[in-house]
Amino acid sequence: MKKFIGSLSFFILTSTLLFISCNNIQKNKSHQQTSSASIKVGKKLAQTYCGSCHQLPEPSLLDSKSWNDGVLPEMGPRLGIFYYGNKAYPSYRNDMNVDKNYYPSQPVISLYDWQHIIDYYTAASPDSLLPAKKTTPIVMNEKLFQSLHPTFTYNKPTTAFVKIEPAQQLITCDAFEKKLFVFNNALQLVDSFNTKSSVTDIIKNNDTLTLCNTGILNPNNGKYGSIENIVLSKKNIVDTIFKNLMRPVQITKTDLNKDDKEDFLVCEFGNLAGALSWLEDKGNNQFAYHVIRNAPGAIKAYVNDYNHDGLPDIWTLFSQGNEGVFLFTNKGNGEFDAKQVLQFPPVYGSSSFELDDFNKDGFADIVYTCGDNADYSPVLKPYHGVYIFLNDGKNNFIQKYFYPINGCYKAIAKDFDNDGDLDIATISFFADYPHEPEEGFVYLKNKGNFNFQPYSLAATKLGRWLTMDAGDFDGDGKIDLMLGNFSLNFGKFKSSVDWVKQPPFLLLKNIQ
């Protein structure tokens, strides 16, 4: 007991001295203008310490307040700094789900050097970010899509998943209700099922739905995610395929090792930890877990044999820390070579990507969106929006197009007007609702030569769109859209529309 009290007293004394020391540093800094020498040193230190884990963000990407109050306090613990001045930096040190070696046991940078980094980012950043300039304004147009919604409604929909099935059937999942809903071709509710947690992806095979259960939706470090099968006719979960996944958000069935058994490719978004992983089918409903990339933020993956060697390769967007698109070339026997083909600063908030051939040269181009704005710097960002990157034929990508959309969350490229080229439909979850609520849904109609006319329609202002799907719902040969309303209204992105009283989804019937 005495030993414990003595250790505690030493800890309190040490912490107090550290607090006083750090506080004096900050007081001295506050009474003198930050020197150019300190900024210069801070820039070099940022290149060393911040640039070692991800693309080094320029100070100009955020305002000074966001750096000081949000991003830098979040980064400090990753360098072993948990207290600075009168601030206790946020961390997960007491979370039993976090690897005890995740944070350094000792600071890897001195407090004086950390102050140099703070000086660099706060002095070299603007007081506020200038809004993005839309060279082509969004035009309201009611002649492109007819908006339809179900008669079935409920208070506070939090639709986290929507899917258009070819047999004139729609499927949604509500995150907080923990329910799957099935609608018929008249948008009438015909069935519902309880789920273990929020479902973010579904693979449908006849009467069976394979569900990607995220577990706990809010950021956490536990392994609560799972994959289950539901048989529609039995209305219940018949078997659990795999458990202990880190907030999985997407599953893909594919035979990665070419043994004539279908494996699962899993995007485990996670939080501090996560992975792009695959579950090897060992037969008898047994799966072996393998990691392709051990990092959080895997949000979307596509499988194709880009080099035509008979082995399925993987393209994946990671949206945490080292943000960007990775190409994993399948070498056989469960081995992959990794190449990062696009890299973005960690403040971008990467949210979705697609593989599409815009210039019809036979090589996959990339449509990319960034707009996740819920974490440490919730300010409108002029670089949020939808991008097109062209492939030079050797998987080197060059930006060809950008259209700014605050909080852009997803883009789907299809030939919606059947004129032979690709148009783009986008949704935003963090739009500038007080000033530009039409950003919530933007349809970019391809006018040729990478010129797109942006349109929206009035009905799309009636929801906060977290998810979207595309498909020919009514069999008329035209691609329709389905938008999921996640109606929570929070932060500085509040709308005058009461989303919680609106339908859980909107079907946009293509009438072009």
Side-chain angles (χ1 to χ4, degrees):
M1 186 67 177
K2 290 181 179 179
K3 183 176 181 181
F4 171 77
I5 294 174
S7 299
L8 180 61
S9 301
F10 176 78
F11 172 78
I12 293 172
L13 176 62
T14 304
S15 299
T16 303
L17 292 174
L18 180 61
F19 174 85
I20 294 171
S21 173
C22 293
N23 205 32
N24 286 337
I25 293 172
Q26 291 201 328
K27 281 183 179 178
N28 291 335
K29 288 292 180 181
S30 67
H31 287 88
Q32 61 185 14
Q33 186 177 8
T34 302
S35 69
S36 58
S38 179
I39 296 171
K40 186 176 181 181
V41 171
K43 182 177 182 179
K44 288 184 178 179
L45 289 168
Q47 291 170 343
T48 300
Y49 291 100
C50 306
S52 64
C53 297
H54 48 68
Q55 183 174 318
L56 182 69
E58 292 295 326
S60 59
L61 290 175
L62 292 176
D63 60 285
S64 299
K65 180 175 173 56
S66 292
W67 285 119
N68 250 328
D69 297 344
V71 176
L72 292 175
E74 180 65 28
M75 294 301 105
R78 300 169 196 240
L79 297 174
I81 300 174
F82 297 93
Y83 300 93
Y84 194 66
N86 58 357
K87 286 184 179 180
Y89 285 167
S91 75
Y92 289 93
R93 277 199 301 176
N94 297 323
D95 187 339
M96 59 173 31
N97 292 310
V98 175
D99 188 323
K100 64 179 180 180
N101 296 316
Y102 179 81
Y103 295 112
S105 58
Q106 298 292 330
V108 298
I109 185 174
S110 72
L111 297 178
Y112 285 101
D113 282 346
W114 179 239
Q115 182 64 54
H116 286 313
I117 291 178
I118 293 174
D119 289 345
Y120 167 57
Y121 276 102
T122 54
S125 56
D127 291 334
S128 61
L129 298 180
L130 294 175
K133 293 183 179 180
K134 292 180 171 64
T135 55
T136 308
I138 301 170
V139 176
M140 304 306 289
N141 189 336
E142 305 298 324
K143 297 181 180 180
L144 303 170
F145 297 92
Q146 177 188 3
S147 61
L148 305 170
H149 58 79
T151 55
F152 170 76
T153 60
Y154 53 94
N155 200 36
K156 298 181 182 178
T158 51
T159 307
F161 177 80
V162 295
K163 187 170 181 60
I164 298 176
E165 285 295 330
Q168 296 186 338
Q169 188 182 71
L170 303 174
I171 301 174
T172 71
C173 176
D174 191 279
F176 290 173
E177 292 286 329
K178 296 182 181 178
K179 278 185 176 292
L180 276 177
F181 299 106
V182 182
F183 298 83
N184 64 14
N185 59 359
L187 306 193
Q188 297 171 328
L189 181 66
V190 294
D191 225 334
S192 65
F193 307 85
N194 293 324
T195 62
K196 285 188 174 180
S197 63
S198 175
V199 171
T200 52
D201 199 10
I202 291 177
I203 300 172
K204 188 172 186 292
N205 183 19
N206 298 322
D207 194 37
T208 301
L209 299 180
T210 302
L211 310 181
C212 177
N213 287 289
T214 302
I216 299 174
L217 187 63
N218 292 330
N220 69 90
N221 301 298
K223 296 182 179 182
Y224 307 121
S226 59
I227 303 174
E228 276 97 22
N229 281 335
I230 281 184
V231 176
L232 295 178
S233 58
K234 295 183 179 180
K235 284 196 163 187
N236 63 350
I237 295 173
V238 293
D239 65 272
T240 298
I241 295 173
F242 206 85
K243 298 189 294 184
N244 301 322
L245 296 171
M246 297 174 284
R247 290 174 79 205
V249 294
Q250 186 203 12
I251 52 175
T252 305
K253 267 194 167 184
T254 180
D255 183 5
L256 283 177
N257 56 353
K258 305 302 288 182
D259 64 353
D260 296 325
K261 295 181 214 169
E262 283 201 308
D263 313 303
F264 282 96
L265 178 67
V266 186
C267 286
E268 296 182 77
F269 191 92
N271 186 27
L272 293 187
L276 177 68
S277 60
W278 68 288
L279 308 178
E280 181 185 1
D281 188 346
K282 291 292 194 177
N284 298 319
N285 207 29
Q286 299 296 311
F287 291 85
Y289 179 83
H290 305 283
V291 172
I292 297 173
R293 182 171 187 254
N294 185 19
I299 193 168
K300 184 70 176 179
Y302 291 93
V303 177
N304 70 7
D305 181 11
Y306 82 90
N307 56 5
H308 309 294
D309 65 353
L311 298 174
D313 308 304
I314 304 167
W315 305 73
T316 305
L317 174 64
F318 283 80
S319 58
Q320 295 257 81
N322 186 15
E323 298 194 11
V325 177
F326 289 75
L327 171 58
F328 299 94
T329 301
N330 196 333
K331 309 305 292 183
N333 299 317
E335 300 294 327
F336 296 86
D337 283 344
K339 175 186 178 183
Q340 188 165 7
V341 299
L342 285 175
Q343 187 177 34
F344 307 104
V347 299
Y348 261 44
S350 300
S351 49
S352 77
F353 91 115
E354 278 196 351
L355 297 177
D356 299 289
D357 188 359
F358 269 86
N359 53 7
K360 300 180 181 179
D361 63 354
F363 298 102
D365 307 312
I366 289 175
V367 177
Y368 162 83
T369 66
C370 56
D372 189 1
N373 216 356
D375 294 328
Y376 317 119
S377 57
V379 295
L380 298 175
K381 300 177 174 73
Y383 41 84
H384 277 177
V386 58
Y387 296 74
I388 298 174
F389 295 93
L390 293 185
N391 191 336
D392 68 353
K394 298 179 181 178
N395 295 323
N396 301 306
F397 292 85
I398 300 173
Q399 182 181 321
K400 183 65 177 179
Y401 176 79
F402 168 66
Y403 188 76
I405 300 174
N406 289 298
C408 195
Y409 230 62
K410 188 171 184 177
I412 296 177
K414 301 284 184 185
D415 185 6
F416 289 99
D417 54 8
N418 288 327
D419 66 351
D421 55 27
L422 292 174
D423 314 295
I424 304 174
T426 73
I427 54 171
S428 170
F429 191 61
F430 296 98
D432 185 5
Y433 297 111
H435 306 102
E436 289 188 277
E438 61 272 16
E439 286 185 319
F441 172 79
V442 178
Y443 170 62
L444 296 165
K445 191 177 180 70
N446 195 335
K447 297 294 187 179
N449 198 30
F450 292 94
N451 293 311
F452 294 83
Q453 174 60 53
Y455 293 110
S456 189
L457 57 154
T460 59
K461 298 179 183 180
L462 300 179
R464 188 174 194 185
W465 314 118
L466 177 70
T467 184
M468 173 173 59
D469 192 30
D472 184 4
F473 172 68
D474 51 9
D476 65 353
K478 298 178 181 179
I479 302 297
D480 309 303
L481 288 163
M482 186 180 182
L483 315 182
N485 180 18
F486 198 99
S487 65
L488 298 188
N489 199 345
F490 57 88
K492 59 181 63 180
F493 307 103
K494 290 183 178 179
S495 168
S496 59
V497 177
D498 191 1
W499 290 321
V500 300
K501 297 185 183 300
Q502 299 301 323
F505 71 87
L506 196 65
L507 181 70
L508 301 183
K509 176 177 165 54
N510 192 338
I511 56 175
Q512 299 182 68

